[in-house]
């Protein structure tokens, strides 16, 4: 694993990023009428490296909100009619510049679902392979950030190829992988910095940022609870009472991966799409028979929190399925707060 530091004078930043466009399609934070989002950057658009938080994470870079996955020719005179074939897509090198460390960690959690030893989702995996993640440490964590409780934090390196630290007039860049090295090279950034001194600077910045996160969420007892006890606990009706099933919490979540499949026919072409879906919608689990195993609001809310805080934890033994970005807390129109739910689940004792 490569691990070295370089410094990037901010005066050289724009030129370097523009140079990288010869090799990479760039994604990064941009603000429009819908707030800050991580999106594909137009030829003359720079990533906004001073953003505080983004409404949506970078998950759509690998898992678009709507993605063509297969198509078939319906013309019966064609030899291959009605045979589903993988839709063409561009998997040339791309880089997400300015991704927050907790969002990079979220991609590693999603990877556990899409890239397993038994099954590889080819769309997600090909996009992942094509992508370089250039992280930007969070000097000023927002009020909803509880990433230090979820095994990430403002300067976490997991899932990143480069970690940038904003040091006023320059970026200190920690090159973590060969992909990160290649991106720095494509930008023409190569001013070597002393590794020991740089790490000390980074640690000071990390500690200062971590100290600003005041929200802590207990998760230490979740593993020892039994699924059935939590499933049958008496608090779910209260938690779910005000939920309007809008699905916002799942769409903004960098670790949510539910999708639905839709076919669309236009003239002689059948295209199959996969679209983001949400476990908060009653339609998500409604069977063709009309039966719905999660037809009640409480069942759906319980599913979302049990998946994130218990099923995932038990299945992968790799922490909870939440990176503490706080987006769902900030965006929920009725103030349902995963921090409170985690606390309730963590402290729950079954009454005999
Ligand atoms: S954002 Fe809030 S109201 Fe909407 S589905 Fe999620 S928990 Fe329910
Ligand atoms: S559950 Fe909420 S806080 Fe956790 S990663 Fe998803 S959006 Fe962020």
């Amino acid at each position: 694993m490569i691990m070295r530091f370089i410094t990037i004078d901010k005066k050289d930043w724009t030129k370097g990023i523009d140079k990288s466009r010869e090799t990479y399609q760039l994604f990064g934070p941009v603000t429009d009428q819908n707030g800050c989002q991580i999106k594909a950057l137009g030829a003359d658009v720079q990533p906004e490296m001073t953003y505080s938080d983004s409404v949506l994470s970078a998950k759509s870079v690998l898992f678009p909100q709507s993605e063509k996955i297969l198509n078939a020719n319906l013309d019966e005179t064609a030899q291959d009619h009605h045979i589903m074939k993988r839709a063409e897509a561009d998997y040339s090198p791309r880089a997400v510049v300015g991704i927050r460390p907790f969002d990079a960690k979220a991609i590693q959690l999603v990877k556990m679902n899409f890239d397993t030893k038994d099954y590889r989702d080819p769309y997600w995996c090909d996009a992942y392979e094509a992508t370089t993640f250039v992280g930007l440490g969070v000097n000023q964590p927002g009020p909803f950030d509880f990433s230090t409780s979820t095994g990430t934090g403002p300067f976490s390196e997991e899932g990143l190829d480069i970690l940038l630290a904003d040091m006023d007039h320059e970026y200190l860049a920690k090159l973590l992988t060969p992909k990160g090295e290649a991106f720095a090279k494509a930008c023409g950034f190569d001013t070597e910095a002393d590794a020991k001194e740089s790490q000390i600077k980074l640690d000071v910045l990390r500690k200062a940022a971590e100290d600003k996160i005041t929200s802590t969420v207990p998760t230490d007892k979740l593993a020892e609870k039994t699924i059935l006890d939590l499933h049958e606990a008496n608090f779910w009706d209260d938690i779910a009472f005000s939920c309007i099933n809008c699905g916002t919490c799942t769409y903004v979540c960098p670790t949510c991966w539910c999708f639905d499949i839709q076919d669309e026919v236009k003239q002689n072409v059948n295209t199959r799409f996969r679209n983001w879906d949400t476990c908060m919608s009653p339609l998500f689990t409604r069977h063709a028979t009309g039966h719905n195993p999660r037809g009640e609001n409480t069942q759906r809310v319980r599913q979302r929190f049990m998946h994130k805080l218990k099923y995932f934890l038990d299945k992968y033994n790799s922490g909870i399925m939440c990176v503490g970005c706080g987006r769902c807390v900030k965006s929920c129109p009725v103030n349902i707060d995963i921090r409170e739910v985690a606390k309730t689940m963590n402290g729950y004792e079954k009454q005999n």
Side-chain angles (χ1 to χ4, degrees):
M1 189 178 187
I2 291 172
M3 193 99 64
R4 70 183 183 102
F5 286 89
I6 59 171
T7 54
I8 304 164
D9 191 313
K10 284 191 180 170
K11 290 201 293 293
D12 301 328
W13 173 255
T14 303
K15 200 170 152 210
I17 289 297
D18 284 342
K19 191 163 182 290
S20 75
R21 295 177 205 264
E22 292 164 16
T23 316
Y24 295 86
Q25 184 192 359
L26 297 185
F27 293 77
V30 274
T31 302
D32 61 18
Q33 70 277 15
N34 298 315
C36 185
Q37 326 242 5
I38 309 295
K39 296 209 299 201
L41 302 176
D44 53 354
V45 180
Q46 288 287 324
E48 282 173 27
M49 300 298 276
T50 52
Y51 77 113
S52 52
D53 49 18
S54 61
V55 182
L56 295 177
S57 74
K59 86 173 164 186
S60 63
V61 176
L62 312 181
F63 175 34
Q65 201 166 348
S66 182
E67 180 175 25
K68 282 182 195 172
I69 54 172
L70 297 167
N71 47 42
N73 185 352
L74 303 184
D75 177 356
E76 296 198 359
T77 63
Q79 218 178 2
D80 60 351
H81 71 89
H82 289 84
I83 294 177
M84 282 290 196
K85 294 181 181 169
R86 185 169 171 180
E88 280 182 19
D90 179 7
Y91 295 112
S92 57
R94 56 180 89 165
V96 190
V97 181
I99 184 174
R100 291 304 191 187
F102 48 57
D103 285 342
K105 166 74 186 256
I107 287 169
Q108 295 303 306
L109 300 185
V110 174
K111 190 170 188 290
M112 291 182 195
N113 184 56
F114 282 153
D115 186 8
T116 74
K117 69 177 170 38
D118 300 321
Y119 180 76
R120 276 187 103 237
D121 180 289
Y123 312 99
W124 192 94
C125 289
D126 286 353
Y128 178 80
E129 294 300 332
T131 307
T132 299
F133 299 97
V134 182
L136 177 62
V138 189
N139 289 0
Q140 298 292 342
F144 297 97
D145 186 329
F146 59 99
S147 56
T148 42
S149 294
T150 58
T152 63
F155 284 83
S156 158
E157 294 168 11
E158 196 175 345
L160 289 175
D161 297 301
I162 298 178
L163 173 62
L164 297 173
D166 188 333
M167 317 287 283
D168 291 335
H169 63 287
E170 66 180 16
Y171 292 112
L172 179 62
K174 189 170 184 180
L175 308 185
L176 298 159
T177 66
K179 272 183 170 181
E181 276 285 344
F183 184 77
K185 193 173 173 199
C187 295
F189 298 146
D190 198 21
T191 306
E192 192 90 22
D194 181 84
K196 205 167 159 196
E197 269 178 32
S198 300
Q199 188 60 55
I200 291 169
K201 282 186 196 168
L202 197 59
D203 288 343
V204 169
L205 217 52
R206 181 198 317 269
K207 171 85 174 57
E210 285 177 356
D211 287 348
K212 288 177 191 148
I213 297 177
T214 50
S215 203
T216 53
V217 180
T219 59
D220 56 316
K221 295 196 171 63
L222 289 168
E224 69 195 46
K225 310 284 173 201
T226 68
I227 285 179
L228 209 55
D229 286 352
L230 286 175
H231 194 268
E232 292 175 348
N234 55 7
F235 50 71
W236 292 115
D237 281 337
D238 286 343
I239 291 171
F241 176 72
S242 55
C243 176
I244 56 171
N245 297 146
C246 64
T248 303
C249 50
T250 57
Y251 296 132
V252 299
C253 180
T255 71
C256 279
W257 58 58
C258 290
F259 61 83
D260 183 32
I261 300 288
Q262 298 273 339
D263 276 11
E264 193 177 284
V265 177
K266 261 192 201 158
Q267 294 173 336
N268 268 339
V269 179
N270 183 149
T271 306
R272 182 161 295 176
F273 291 87
R274 80 164 159 197
N275 303 315
W276 287 3
D277 203 348
T278 171
C279 60
M280 303 306 275
S281 160
L283 281 180
F284 184 66
T285 44
R286 196 173 75 184
H287 298 181
T289 58
H291 171 65
N292 194 339
R294 293 205 289 268
E296 301 295 326
N297 188 24
T298 300
Q299 295 169 318
R300 296 191 289 278
V301 171
R302 177 175 60 195
Q303 164 63 23
R304 172 165 175 259
F305 290 118
M306 285 291 281
H307 188 199
K308 291 202 172 292
L309 303 172
K310 184 58 183 167
Y311 303 146
F312 185 90
L313 178 83
D314 284 4
K315 181 170 178 182
Y316 296 109
N317 192 24
S318 186
I320 57 175
M321 187 186 152
C322 168
V323 293
C325 72
R327 288 185 180 92
C328 60
V329 183
K330 189 177 178 186
S331 306
C332 176
V334 297
N335 298 326
I336 292 175
D337 187 333
I338 191 170
R339 297 171 299 185
E340 294 300 320
V341 180
K343 200 168 153 193
T344 303
M345 288 172 67
N346 198 61
Y348 179 71
E349 296 296 341
K350 187 182 176 188
Q351 303 299 317
N352 290 311

